[in-house]
Amino acid sequence: MGRYDLALIGFGGVNRALAELISRRGDRLARELGFTLRVVAITDLRAGSLVDTDGIDLAPLLAAEPGELNFAGLAGGSADPRNEWVIREVPADIVVEATFTNPADGEPALSHVRWALESGKHVCTTNKGPVALAGRALKQLAAEHGVSFEFEGSVLSGTPILRTAQRLFGGLEITGVQGILNGTSNYVLGRLEEGLDLPAAIAEAQDLGYAEADPTADIEGHDVQLKVMILANEVLGADLRRGDVFCEGISAITPQEVQDAASKGLRWKLVGSATRHEDGSVDARVAPLALPAHHPLAGISGPVNAVAFHTDLLGTVTVSGPGAGRIETAYALLSDLIAIHQRHADDDTTPTRPVLQETHRV
Ligand SMILES: NC(=O)c1ccc[n+]([C@@H]2O[C@H](COP(=O)([O-])OP(=O)(O)OC[C@H]3O[C@@H](n4cnc5c(N)ncnc54)[C@H](O)[C@@H]3O)[C@@H](O)[C@H]2O)c1
Ligand SMILES: N[C@@H](CCO)C(=O)O
């Protein structure tokens, strides 16, 4: 049975949930999937870094409160995240990037992904920044190094929207996509309809693990803007930059407006869309819309998200499922790990893992 050694970069809600999956369901996953997963390194801005090339014992880390983790006192631990050294030097097969999404320039996650691919390591990430802002270049870099760059969780968390479009829509022409692509704002709009004010609704979404570290990106539409770019680039063959996608969020919508609309059978939704024209150009935008009840996206509520694909042969096909959540997003990472296994299990060119120099361990 094969084994993949993982380096987890960022140990917040999502990568911690992946560690829980590995820790609690590892044996079952091994039986079902035919490979085992072992974590050999973790870095985090707050907790520091922890390296054990024989496999980190995850149980005590998962038993600790997230805010209390401090790797400095542990064998192989340091107060410094040492991301570049861990990514480049620790003999892991796959780097799992789940630090903060930075909608402006994708950093430092973009560098994390580059360092990993340049070092011949596969990458899976839920971080939208590198995928939206540099996806094409990163896929090229991965191909040059014979490794995979997987990012299913960057759109609709664990709901397999990108693989569905890429693998199951063969022979169809997709002419456009329209979606509810942010769990936080959709949850918040629902709570406004129920009478909560904006700050209280955002606080709930943060507690539930849906919101970004800075929820401005959720509320002002920048998170959806990145996801529209990913969908347009991956599914419609576009090459959009952030400035190409008009973006308006939901901060100006009052609870009263949401309630008045509901009384008329309308639902305010933050909608991201991209349309391909006959000349091949793609228009994309993010804006709140009051949708009538019969619209395929009107009934999508809470942290559930959906994408309606407009196609030539099937008309509109709508896929919905969780759009946010720690475990749901960790599942996206698991699906990426499975995809990497399926693509590379038979590689006879897999590089042997370099040996970590003891002097670098602490
Ligand atoms: N939570 C979700 O529902 C969800 C869904 C899809 C995608 N995502 C994306 O996944 C990523 C992780 O989400 P999360 O919910 O775990 O966020 P989180 O805020 O809970 O965790 C992020 C972690 O990364 C660490 N970190 C930040 N910068 C770092 C750096 N430079 N080096 C090392 N560690 C660093 C932080 O200390 C934190 O522990 C984000 O990019 C987010 O946009 C999240
Ligand atoms: N903050 C994001 C996480 C998923 O990308 C959301 O609420 O949809």
Side-chain angles (χ1 to χ4, degrees):
M1 180 172 305
R3 186 190 78 215
Y4 297 99
D5 285 352
L6 311 182
L8 308 185
I9 309 303
F11 201 57
V14 171
N15 259 348
R16 216 178 134 97
L18 178 66
E20 274 169 22
L21 276 180
I22 294 169
S23 179
R24 304 212 175 118
R25 297 173 70 160
D27 291 345
R28 183 179 142 190
L29 292 173
R31 280 196 305 279
E32 283 177 15
L33 304 174
F35 62 87
T36 58
L37 296 168
R38 195 170 74 156
V39 177
V40 294
I42 302 175
T43 76
D44 189 85
L45 202 55
R46 299 172 186 125
S49 59
L50 184 60
V51 176
D52 184 344
T53 52
D54 294 326
I56 293 171
D57 181 7
L58 296 171
L61 306 185
L62 296 172
E65 286 299 314
E68 287 172 1
L69 272 182
N70 180 355
F71 297 147
L74 307 178
S78 161
D80 180 355
R82 304 186 302 170
N83 288 314
E84 183 164 7
W85 176 77
V86 167
I87 291 169
R88 289 190 189 277
E89 304 299 333
V90 171
D93 303 294
I94 304 174
V95 170
V96 184
E97 217 292 344
T99 66
F100 303 142
T101 287
N102 174 355
D105 63 6
E107 293 292 3
L110 178 49
S111 294
H112 299 161
V113 175
R114 276 208 189 102
W115 296 334
L117 298 174
E118 283 166 4
S119 311
K121 289 164 182 162
H122 307 291
V123 172
C124 49
T125 186
T126 56
N127 196 314
K128 292 143 272 187
V131 188
L133 303 174
R136 192 172 281 216
L138 293 172
K139 284 195 284 187
Q140 174 67 31
L141 188 60
E144 284 164 16
H145 290 271
V147 291
S148 286
F149 175 47
E150 300 291 334
F151 43 83
E152 182 61 61
S154 63
V155 184
L156 256 65
S157 73
T159 308
I161 201 78
L162 296 174
R163 287 199 185 99
T164 298
Q166 285 159 348
R167 296 186 182 175
L168 302 183
F169 287 178
L172 286 179
E173 189 181 340
I174 304 174
T175 53
V177 290
Q178 190 180 36
I180 294 175
L181 302 171
N182 182 269
T184 301
S185 56
N186 206 44
Y187 177 87
V188 163
L189 286 169
R191 296 296 278 145
L192 296 188
E193 191 178 317
E194 289 161 7
L196 233 64
D197 65 21
L198 187 65
I202 293 173
E204 282 190 359
Q206 286 176 306
D207 284 349
L208 290 163
Y210 307 148
E212 298 302 302
D214 176 359
T216 311
D218 297 298
I219 300 305
E220 298 300 350
H222 304 131
D223 180 74
V224 179
Q225 190 180 38
L226 296 180
K227 290 166 176 167
V228 166
M229 290 166 68
I230 296 170
L231 277 172
N233 295 347
E234 293 297 314
V235 177
L236 301 179
D239 187 17
L240 297 183
R241 304 283 179 269
R242 236 182 127 201
D244 299 327
V245 185
F246 171 84
C247 181
E248 181 188 341
I250 62 165
S251 59
I253 300 178
T254 64
Q256 193 59 52
E257 278 175 289
V258 177
Q259 289 158 17
D260 288 348
S263 68
K264 294 176 196 148
L266 299 171
R267 285 256 142 66
W268 277 103
K269 297 290 174 191
L270 183 59
V271 176
S273 57
T275 307
R276 191 171 55 206
H277 302 292
E278 294 216 334
D279 64 0
S281 63
V282 173
D283 278 343
R285 56 187 282 115
V286 179
L289 296 176
L291 301 177
H294 60 78
H295 191 284
L297 301 179
I300 303 297
S301 46
V304 176
N305 284 185
V307 177
F309 293 94
H310 304 303
T311 75
D312 58 346
L313 302 181
L314 288 180
T316 298
V317 179
T318 305
V319 179
S320 74
R326 300 178 182 104
I327 284 287
E328 294 84 345
T329 311
Y331 173 72
L333 291 172
L334 181 60
S335 76
D336 286 344
L337 296 169
I338 295 168
I340 290 170
H341 173 70
Q342 288 170 340
R343 188 166 311 151
H344 296 275
D346 299 328
D347 280 5
D348 52 8
T349 53
T350 304
T352 46
R353 296 179 184 103
V355 175
L356 187 66
Q357 298 300 312
E358 284 297 318
T359 48
H360 290 149
R361 287 185 66 156
V362 179

